[in-house]
Amino acid sequence: MSGEKGPVIFVDDDDDLLPAAGQMLELAGFSPIVVNSAEAALARIDENFNGPVVSDIRMPRMNGLQLFDRVKAIDTDIPFVLITGHGDVELAVAAIKDGAYDFISKPYETDRLLVTLNRASENRHLVLENRRLRDAVVRSAGDMPLLGNAPSMTWLRETIRQIADTDVDVLVEGETGTGKEVVADLLHRWSRRSTKPFVALNCGALPESVIESELFGHEAGAFTGAHRRRIGRLEYANGGTLFLDEIESMPPALQIKLLRVLETRQVTPLGTNETRSINVRVVAATKVDLSDPAARGDFREDLYFRLNVVTVNIPPLRERREDIPILFAHFLERACKRFGKPVWEITAAVRNHLMGHDWPGNVRELAHFADRVALGLEGAPNSPPGKRDAELSLSLSEKVSLYEATVIRNALRECDGDVRRTTEFLQVPRKTFYDKLKRYGIIPGAYRSSRDRSKSS
Protein backbone atom coordinates (compact mmCIF):
# COMPACT_ATOMS: atom_id res chain seq x y z
CA MET A 1 0.00 0.00 0.00
CA SER A 2 1.49 3.33 -1.04
CA GLY A 3 2.73 5.56 1.75
CA GLU A 4 2.40 2.85 4.41
CA LYS A 5 6.03 3.04 5.54
CA GLY A 6 6.31 6.80 5.61
CA PRO A 7 8.38 9.27 3.59
CA VAL A 8 11.81 8.91 2.00
CA ILE A 9 13.68 11.85 0.49
CA PHE A 10 15.71 10.77 -2.54
CA VAL A 11 18.25 13.33 -3.80
CA ASP A 12 20.08 13.07 -7.12
CA ASP A 13 20.91 15.65 -9.77
CA ASP A 14 20.20 13.13 -12.54
CA ASP A 15 16.70 14.13 -13.66
CA ASP A 16 16.42 10.99 -15.79
CA LEU A 17 16.93 8.76 -12.71
CA LEU A 18 14.45 10.44 -10.37
CA PRO A 19 11.13 9.17 -11.86
CA ALA A 20 12.34 5.55 -11.72
CA ALA A 21 13.58 6.00 -8.15
CA GLY A 22 10.25 7.50 -7.11
CA GLN A 23 8.30 4.65 -8.70
CA MET A 24 10.55 2.05 -7.05
CA LEU A 25 10.04 3.61 -3.58
CA GLU A 26 6.29 3.97 -4.09
CA LEU A 27 5.92 0.31 -5.10
CA ALA A 28 7.85 -0.63 -1.94
CA GLY A 29 5.27 1.16 0.22
CA PHE A 30 7.08 4.44 0.88
CA SER A 31 5.93 8.01 0.22
CA PRO A 32 8.79 9.19 -2.02
CA ILE A 33 9.96 12.78 -2.15
CA VAL A 34 12.34 12.96 -5.12
CA VAL A 35 14.37 16.16 -5.60
CA ASN A 36 17.31 17.08 -7.81
CA SER A 37 19.27 19.26 -5.37
CA ALA A 38 20.40 19.37 -1.76
CA GLU A 39 18.74 22.76 -1.34
CA ALA A 40 15.37 21.31 -2.37
CA ALA A 41 15.84 18.45 0.10
CA LEU A 42 16.63 20.82 2.98
CA ALA A 43 13.39 22.69 2.32
CA ARG A 44 11.49 19.48 3.17
CA ILE A 45 13.40 18.53 6.33
CA ASP A 46 12.88 19.53 9.95
CA GLU A 47 13.35 17.78 13.31
CA ASN A 48 9.97 16.03 12.89
CA PHE A 49 10.71 14.54 9.47
CA ASN A 50 9.54 10.94 9.73
CA GLY A 51 11.89 9.06 7.42
CA PRO A 52 15.38 8.59 5.98
CA VAL A 53 17.25 10.68 3.42
CA VAL A 54 19.06 9.11 0.44
CA SER A 55 21.56 11.25 -1.43
CA ASP A 56 24.15 10.90 -4.13
CA ILE A 57 27.54 12.22 -3.01
CA ARG A 58 28.53 14.06 -6.19
CA MET A 59 26.15 16.94 -6.89
CA PRO A 60 26.72 20.58 -7.96
CA ARG A 61 26.59 23.52 -5.53
CA MET A 62 26.03 21.40 -2.37
CA ASN A 63 27.24 17.80 -2.49
CA GLY A 64 25.88 14.84 -0.52
CA LEU A 65 28.42 15.12 2.29
CA GLN A 66 27.61 18.79 2.80
CA LEU A 67 23.92 17.93 2.79
CA PHE A 68 24.61 15.27 5.43
CA ASP A 69 26.27 17.89 7.67
CA ARG A 70 23.27 20.21 7.26
CA VAL A 71 20.77 17.44 8.02
CA LYS A 72 22.79 16.35 11.05
CA ALA A 73 22.61 19.92 12.37
CA ILE A 74 18.81 19.76 12.11
CA ASP A 75 18.51 16.34 13.82
CA THR A 76 21.34 13.87 14.33
CA ASP A 77 18.84 10.99 14.42
CA ILE A 78 17.57 11.37 10.84
CA PRO A 79 18.98 8.32 9.00
CA PHE A 80 21.16 9.46 6.11
CA VAL A 81 22.11 7.01 3.33
CA LEU A 82 24.82 7.93 0.82
CA ILE A 83 24.99 6.70 -2.79
CA THR A 84 28.66 6.50 -3.74
CA GLY A 85 30.73 5.96 -6.81
CA HIS A 86 33.79 3.71 -6.65
CA GLY A 87 36.12 6.61 -5.93
CA ASP A 88 33.98 7.93 -3.05
CA VAL A 89 33.98 4.85 -0.83
CA GLU A 90 36.59 6.23 1.61
CA LEU A 91 34.56 9.44 1.94
CA ALA A 92 31.44 7.40 2.63
CA VAL A 93 33.19 5.29 5.27
CA ALA A 94 34.35 8.48 7.00
CA ALA A 95 30.74 9.73 6.91
CA ILE A 96 29.57 6.48 8.54
CA LYS A 97 32.02 7.08 11.37
CA ASP A 98 30.58 10.59 11.64
CA GLY A 99 27.02 9.31 12.02
CA ALA A 100 25.69 8.50 8.55
CA TYR A 101 23.31 5.53 8.58
CA ASP A 102 24.78 3.59 5.62
CA PHE A 103 26.28 3.91 2.16
CA ILE A 104 25.56 1.98 -1.02
CA SER A 105 27.96 1.80 -3.96
CA LYS A 106 26.92 2.38 -7.55
CA PRO A 107 25.53 0.61 -9.42
CA TYR A 108 23.30 -0.42 -6.50
CA GLU A 109 20.83 -3.27 -6.36
CA THR A 110 17.25 -2.19 -5.69
CA ASP A 111 16.76 -4.93 -3.09
CA ARG A 112 19.86 -3.81 -1.18
CA LEU A 113 18.64 -0.20 -1.10
CA LEU A 114 15.14 -1.19 0.02
CA VAL A 115 16.42 -3.40 2.85
CA THR A 116 18.50 -0.47 4.10
CA LEU A 117 15.60 1.98 3.82
CA ASN A 118 13.20 -0.36 5.59
CA ARG A 119 15.59 -0.59 8.54
CA ALA A 120 16.29 3.15 8.47
CA SER A 121 12.57 4.00 8.34
CA GLU A 122 11.80 1.70 11.27
CA ASN A 123 14.67 3.25 13.21
CA ARG A 124 13.37 6.76 12.56
CA HIS A 125 9.83 5.83 13.59
CA LEU A 126 11.14 4.42 16.87
CA VAL A 127 13.22 7.54 17.58
CA LEU A 128 10.23 9.82 17.06
CA GLU A 129 7.93 7.51 19.02
CA ASN A 130 10.32 7.54 21.99
CA ARG A 131 10.46 11.34 21.83
CA ARG A 132 6.68 11.62 21.73
CA LEU A 133 6.33 9.26 24.66
CA ARG A 134 8.89 11.15 26.76
CA ASP A 135 7.14 14.44 25.98
CA ALA A 136 3.75 12.92 26.79
CA VAL A 137 5.03 11.63 30.13
CA VAL A 138 6.30 15.11 31.02
CA ARG A 139 3.06 16.80 29.89
CA SER A 140 0.92 14.32 31.79
CA ALA A 141 2.92 14.46 35.03
CA GLY A 142 -0.07 15.84 36.91
CA ASP A 143 -2.23 12.91 35.81
CA MET A 144 0.32 10.17 36.53
CA PRO A 145 -1.95 8.13 38.81
CA LEU A 146 -4.37 7.57 35.92
CA LEU A 147 -2.21 8.19 32.88
CA GLY A 148 -3.83 7.68 29.50
CA ASN A 149 -5.72 9.46 26.75
CA ALA A 150 -8.22 6.73 25.86
CA PRO A 151 -11.84 7.98 26.09
CA SER A 152 -12.52 5.49 28.89
CA MET A 153 -9.69 6.99 30.98
CA THR A 154 -10.82 10.55 30.32
CA TRP A 155 -14.29 9.53 31.52
CA LEU A 156 -12.80 7.80 34.58
CA ARG A 157 -10.80 10.87 35.67
CA GLU A 158 -13.82 13.13 35.19
CA THR A 159 -16.07 10.77 37.15
CA ILE A 160 -13.63 10.56 40.05
CA ARG A 161 -13.39 14.36 40.22
CA GLN A 162 -17.19 14.65 40.21
CA ILE A 163 -17.77 12.21 43.06
CA ALA A 164 -14.55 12.66 45.07
CA ASP A 165 -15.88 15.38 47.34
CA THR A 166 -19.21 13.71 48.02
CA ASP A 167 -19.75 11.42 51.00
CA VAL A 168 -21.23 8.47 49.12
CA ASP A 169 -19.61 5.06 49.38
CA VAL A 170 -18.13 3.81 46.11
CA LEU A 171 -17.76 0.38 44.53
CA VAL A 172 -14.74 0.10 42.21
CA GLU A 173 -14.85 -2.73 39.68
CA GLY A 174 -11.88 -3.85 37.66
CA GLU A 175 -9.69 -6.80 36.81
CA THR A 176 -6.57 -7.65 38.79
CA GLY A 177 -3.87 -5.01 38.32
CA THR A 178 -6.04 -2.31 36.75
CA GLY A 179 -5.38 0.17 39.57
CA LYS A 180 -8.36 -0.06 41.90
CA GLU A 181 -6.35 1.17 44.88
CA VAL A 182 -5.09 4.10 42.77
CA VAL A 183 -8.72 5.09 42.11
CA ALA A 184 -9.56 4.77 45.82
CA ASP A 185 -6.55 6.90 46.73
CA LEU A 186 -7.60 9.60 44.26
CA LEU A 187 -11.14 9.61 45.63
CA HIS A 188 -9.54 10.31 49.01
CA ARG A 189 -6.92 12.85 47.86
CA TRP A 190 -9.37 14.85 45.75
CA SER A 191 -11.88 15.14 48.61
CA ARG A 192 -12.15 17.22 51.77
CA ARG A 193 -11.15 14.06 53.66
CA SER A 194 -7.61 14.25 52.27
CA THR A 195 -6.16 15.52 55.58
CA LYS A 196 -7.51 12.46 57.41
CA PRO A 197 -6.28 8.85 57.16
CA PHE A 198 -6.52 6.69 54.05
CA VAL A 199 -6.67 3.12 55.39
CA ALA A 200 -6.47 0.03 53.19
CA LEU A 201 -7.41 -3.56 53.96
CA ASN A 202 -7.18 -6.52 51.57
CA CYS A 203 -10.07 -8.80 52.45
CA GLY A 204 -8.59 -11.67 50.46
CA ALA A 205 -5.14 -11.62 52.04
CA LEU A 206 -6.17 -12.19 55.68
CA PRO A 207 -7.63 -15.34 57.27
CA GLU A 208 -11.16 -15.13 58.66
CA SER A 209 -9.87 -15.38 62.24
CA VAL A 210 -7.88 -12.16 61.79
CA ILE A 211 -9.91 -9.95 59.50
CA GLU A 212 -12.72 -9.30 62.03
CA SER A 213 -10.28 -7.93 64.59
CA GLU A 214 -8.47 -5.91 61.88
CA LEU A 215 -11.70 -4.36 60.70
CA PHE A 216 -13.62 -3.74 63.94
CA GLY A 217 -10.85 -3.72 66.54
CA HIS A 218 -10.89 -5.43 69.95
CA GLU A 219 -10.56 -4.76 73.64
CA ALA A 220 -7.88 -6.34 75.82
CA GLY A 221 -8.84 -9.90 76.73
CA ALA A 222 -11.46 -10.18 73.98
CA PHE A 223 -9.89 -13.46 72.86
CA THR A 224 -6.78 -15.53 73.50
CA GLY A 225 -3.74 -13.46 72.65
CA ALA A 226 -5.54 -10.10 72.82
CA HIS A 227 -3.24 -8.62 75.46
CA ARG A 228 -4.11 -5.03 74.75
CA ARG A 229 -6.74 -2.92 73.04
CA ARG A 230 -6.51 -2.52 69.27
CA ILE A 231 -8.20 0.16 67.19
CA GLY A 232 -9.84 -1.40 64.12
CA ARG A 233 -9.40 -0.09 60.58
CA LEU A 234 -12.93 1.32 60.51
CA GLU A 235 -12.37 3.40 63.61
CA TYR A 236 -8.82 4.35 62.65
CA ALA A 237 -10.11 5.73 59.33
CA ASN A 238 -12.55 8.04 61.17
CA GLY A 239 -12.88 11.26 59.19
CA GLY A 240 -11.10 9.71 56.24
CA THR A 241 -11.47 6.82 53.81
CA LEU A 242 -11.44 3.05 54.29
CA PHE A 243 -10.46 1.05 51.21
CA LEU A 244 -11.63 -2.56 51.24
CA ASP A 245 -9.90 -4.46 48.44
CA GLU A 246 -11.23 -7.82 47.18
CA ILE A 247 -14.48 -7.21 49.04
CA GLU A 248 -15.92 -10.34 47.39
CA SER A 249 -13.56 -12.41 49.60
CA MET A 250 -15.02 -11.11 52.86
CA PRO A 251 -16.51 -13.97 54.98
CA PRO A 252 -20.35 -13.95 55.05
CA ALA A 253 -20.52 -13.41 58.81
CA LEU A 254 -18.47 -10.24 58.50
CA GLN A 255 -20.55 -9.03 55.58
CA ILE A 256 -23.55 -8.77 57.92
CA LYS A 257 -21.53 -6.70 60.41
CA LEU A 258 -20.14 -4.47 57.67
CA LEU A 259 -23.66 -3.88 56.31
CA ARG A 260 -24.77 -2.77 59.77
CA VAL A 261 -21.81 -0.37 60.02
CA LEU A 262 -22.60 1.14 56.61
CA GLU A 263 -26.22 1.71 57.63
CA THR A 264 -25.61 3.05 61.17
CA ARG A 265 -22.07 4.47 60.90
CA GLN A 266 -21.35 2.85 64.26
CA VAL A 267 -18.79 0.20 65.13
CA THR A 268 -18.68 -2.25 68.04
CA PRO A 269 -15.18 -3.64 68.76
CA LEU A 270 -14.77 -7.27 69.83
CA GLY A 271 -14.99 -7.76 73.60
CA THR A 272 -17.33 -4.83 74.30
CA ASN A 273 -20.95 -3.83 73.91
CA GLU A 274 -20.00 -0.21 73.45
CA THR A 275 -20.87 1.31 70.07
CA ARG A 276 -18.78 4.13 68.71
CA SER A 277 -19.90 6.54 66.03
CA ILE A 278 -17.61 6.90 63.05
CA ASN A 279 -17.48 9.25 60.07
CA VAL A 280 -15.84 7.19 57.36
CA ARG A 281 -16.22 6.83 53.64
CA VAL A 282 -15.94 3.26 52.37
CA VAL A 283 -14.48 2.52 48.95
CA ALA A 284 -14.81 -1.18 48.16
CA ALA A 285 -13.07 -2.87 45.23
CA THR A 286 -13.87 -6.10 43.46
CA LYS A 287 -12.47 -8.01 40.51
CA VAL A 288 -15.75 -9.88 39.87
CA ASP A 289 -19.14 -8.66 38.64
CA LEU A 290 -21.15 -8.53 41.87
CA SER A 291 -24.32 -7.78 39.92
CA ASP A 292 -24.14 -11.31 38.48
CA PRO A 293 -25.49 -13.85 41.01
CA ALA A 294 -23.27 -16.58 39.54
CA ALA A 295 -20.12 -14.47 39.92
CA ARG A 296 -21.25 -13.05 43.28
CA GLY A 297 -21.35 -16.46 44.97
CA ASP A 298 -21.95 -16.11 48.71
CA PHE A 299 -21.54 -12.33 48.67
CA ARG A 300 -24.69 -10.82 50.17
CA GLU A 301 -27.00 -9.14 47.68
CA ASP A 302 -28.11 -6.52 50.21
CA LEU A 303 -24.49 -5.55 50.90
CA TYR A 304 -23.87 -5.27 47.16
CA PHE A 305 -26.86 -2.94 46.77
CA ARG A 306 -25.69 -0.88 49.76
CA LEU A 307 -22.19 -0.46 48.24
CA ASN A 308 -23.55 0.09 44.75
CA VAL A 309 -24.58 3.71 45.33
CA VAL A 310 -21.87 4.76 42.88
CA THR A 311 -19.96 2.22 40.79
CA VAL A 312 -16.73 3.06 38.97
CA ASN A 313 -15.50 0.65 36.31
CA ILE A 314 -11.81 0.57 35.39
CA PRO A 315 -11.20 -0.68 31.84
CA PRO A 316 -8.65 -3.48 31.35
CA LEU A 317 -5.48 -2.56 29.52
CA ARG A 318 -6.40 -4.61 26.43
CA GLU A 319 -9.40 -2.31 25.90
CA ARG A 320 -7.27 0.83 25.82
CA ARG A 321 -4.23 -0.27 23.87
CA GLU A 322 -3.51 3.28 22.72
CA ASP A 323 -2.42 4.04 26.30
CA ILE A 324 0.06 1.15 26.58
CA PRO A 325 3.12 2.92 25.06
CA ILE A 326 2.89 6.02 27.26
CA LEU A 327 2.22 3.94 30.38
CA PHE A 328 5.21 1.76 29.56
CA ALA A 329 7.41 4.81 28.94
CA HIS A 330 6.45 6.18 32.35
CA PHE A 331 7.11 2.88 34.14
CA LEU A 332 10.39 2.37 32.25
CA GLU A 333 11.68 5.83 33.15
CA ARG A 334 10.73 5.28 36.78
CA ALA A 335 12.34 1.83 36.87
CA CYS A 336 15.59 3.05 35.32
CA LYS A 337 15.86 5.77 37.96
CA ARG A 338 15.07 3.31 40.75
CA PHE A 339 17.66 0.77 39.58
CA GLY A 340 20.26 3.37 38.63
CA LYS A 341 20.22 2.20 35.01
CA PRO A 342 20.44 4.25 31.78
CA VAL A 343 17.05 5.03 30.29
CA TRP A 344 16.41 2.56 27.46
CA GLU A 345 14.80 3.45 24.18
CA ILE A 346 11.81 1.32 23.21
CA THR A 347 12.90 -1.22 20.60
CA ALA A 348 10.79 -2.73 17.83
CA ALA A 349 10.74 -6.07 19.68
CA VAL A 350 9.54 -4.44 22.90
CA ARG A 351 6.96 -2.36 21.03
CA ASN A 352 5.60 -5.45 19.27
CA HIS A 353 5.28 -7.21 22.63
CA LEU A 354 3.56 -4.19 24.15
CA MET A 355 0.91 -4.08 21.44
CA GLY A 356 0.57 -7.82 20.85
CA HIS A 357 0.31 -9.10 24.43
CA ASP A 358 -3.11 -9.34 26.13
CA TRP A 359 -1.81 -8.11 29.53
CA PRO A 360 -4.00 -10.26 31.82
CA GLY A 361 -2.27 -8.58 34.77
CA ASN A 362 -3.07 -5.16 33.31
CA VAL A 363 -1.14 -2.08 34.48
CA ARG A 364 0.61 -3.97 37.28
CA GLU A 365 1.96 -6.55 34.84
CA LEU A 366 3.05 -3.76 32.48
CA ALA A 367 4.95 -2.03 35.30
CA HIS A 368 6.82 -5.21 36.16
CA PHE A 369 7.64 -5.81 32.49
CA ALA A 370 9.16 -2.30 32.47
CA ASP A 371 11.23 -3.28 35.52
CA ARG A 372 12.63 -6.28 33.64
CA VAL A 373 13.42 -4.17 30.58
CA ALA A 374 15.19 -1.62 32.78
CA LEU A 375 17.29 -4.43 34.26
CA GLY A 376 18.25 -5.62 30.78
CA LEU A 377 16.29 -8.88 31.01
CA GLU A 378 13.78 -8.25 28.21
CA GLY A 379 15.77 -7.31 25.11
CA ALA A 380 16.35 -3.61 25.68
CA PRO A 381 18.78 -1.98 23.21
CA ASN A 382 22.36 -1.50 24.29
CA SER A 383 21.73 -4.01 27.05
CA PRO A 384 24.37 -6.55 28.03
CA PRO A 385 24.81 -9.24 25.35
CA GLY A 386 22.88 -11.97 27.15
CA LYS A 387 20.49 -12.63 29.97
CA ARG A 388 23.24 -14.18 32.07
CA ASP A 389 25.42 -11.08 31.63
CA ALA A 390 22.47 -8.90 32.61
CA GLU A 391 21.88 -10.95 35.74
CA LEU A 392 25.55 -10.66 36.70
CA SER A 393 25.17 -6.86 36.76
CA LEU A 394 22.36 -6.98 39.33
CA SER A 395 22.78 -6.21 43.01
CA LEU A 396 22.36 -8.98 45.58
CA SER A 397 18.84 -7.85 46.50
CA GLU A 398 17.85 -7.70 42.82
CA LYS A 399 19.19 -11.23 42.27
CA VAL A 400 17.29 -12.51 45.32
CA SER A 401 14.07 -10.89 44.07
CA LEU A 402 14.56 -12.34 40.60
CA TYR A 403 15.12 -15.82 42.06
CA GLU A 404 12.14 -15.52 44.42
CA ALA A 405 9.81 -14.44 41.60
CA THR A 406 10.99 -17.42 39.51
CA VAL A 407 10.33 -19.84 42.39
CA ILE A 408 6.80 -18.44 42.86
CA ARG A 409 6.02 -18.69 39.13
CA ASN A 410 7.29 -22.29 39.02
CA ALA A 411 5.23 -23.20 42.11
CA LEU A 412 2.07 -21.68 40.62
CA ARG A 413 2.72 -23.63 37.45
CA GLU A 414 3.06 -26.86 39.44
CA CYS A 415 -0.13 -26.12 41.40
CA ASP A 416 -2.08 -25.07 38.29
CA GLY A 417 -2.54 -21.51 39.60
CA ASP A 418 -4.27 -22.62 42.81
CA VAL A 419 -3.30 -20.12 45.53
CA ARG A 420 -4.11 -22.35 48.49
CA ARG A 421 -2.09 -25.28 47.16
CA THR A 422 0.78 -22.97 46.24
CA THR A 423 0.98 -21.40 49.70
CA GLU A 424 1.02 -24.89 51.23
CA PHE A 425 3.66 -26.02 48.76
CA LEU A 426 5.88 -23.00 49.50
CA GLN A 427 5.03 -23.02 53.21
CA VAL A 428 4.32 -19.29 53.35
CA PRO A 429 1.42 -17.43 55.00
CA ARG A 430 -1.36 -16.35 52.67
CA LYS A 431 -0.84 -12.64 53.35
CA THR A 432 2.91 -12.90 52.69
CA PHE A 433 2.19 -14.73 49.46
CA TYR A 434 -0.29 -12.07 48.30
CA ASP A 435 2.23 -9.34 49.11
CA LYS A 436 4.83 -11.08 46.96
CA LEU A 437 2.37 -11.59 44.10
CA LYS A 438 1.65 -7.87 44.13
CA ARG A 439 5.35 -6.98 44.37
CA TYR A 440 6.33 -9.09 41.36
CA GLY A 441 3.17 -8.50 39.32
CA ILE A 442 2.35 -12.22 39.21
CA ILE A 443 -1.20 -13.23 38.28
CA PRO A 444 -2.16 -16.73 39.59
CA GLY A 445 -4.91 -17.07 36.99
CA ALA A 446 -2.33 -16.95 34.21
CA TYR A 447 -0.96 -20.30 35.44
CA ARG A 448 -4.26 -22.18 35.33
CA SER A 449 -4.80 -24.72 32.61
CA SER A 450 -6.73 -23.51 29.57
CA ARG A 451 -9.64 -25.78 30.57
CA ASP A 452 -9.89 -24.21 34.02
CA ARG A 453 -9.67 -20.70 32.55
CA SER A 454 -12.50 -21.43 30.16
CA LYS A 455 -14.65 -22.61 33.06
CA SER A 456 -14.04 -19.44 35.03
CA SER A 457 -14.58 -17.08 32.10
Side-chain angles (χ1 to χ4, degrees), residues 445-456:
Y447 295 87
R448 297 190 192 119
S449 66
S450 58
R451 182 180 59 185
D452 288 342
R453 284 198 298 270
S454 66
K455 285 181 180 179
S456 61

Side-chain angles (χ1 to χ4, degrees), residues 254-294:
L254 289 185
Q255 294 178 33
I256 299 173
K257 292 188 176 183
L258 176 61
L259 178 61
R260 188 176 300 118
V261 169
L262 294 178
E263 291 176 341
T264 66
R265 300 294 157 167
Q266 292 181 328
V267 63
T268 304
L270 297 177
T272 180
N273 292 323
E274 177 188 354
T275 59
R276 299 167 188 165
S277 296
I278 55 172
N279 172 19
V280 63
R281 181 192 210 173
V282 174
V283 179
T286 177
K287 59 180 181 291
V288 302
D289 182 4
L290 294 180
S291 66
D292 180 1

Side-chain angles (χ1 to χ4, degrees), residues 339-342 344 372-377 382-399 402:
F339 297 134
K341 305 290 185 180
W344 303 120
R372 295 195 297 275
V373 171
L375 291 170
L377 303 177
N382 305 318
S383 61
K387 184 173 180 178
R388 177 172 174 78
D389 292 333
E391 291 177 359
L392 289 174
S393 69
L394 303 180
S395 68
L396 177 60
S397 62
E398 290 169 347
K399 290 178 181 177
L402 183 65

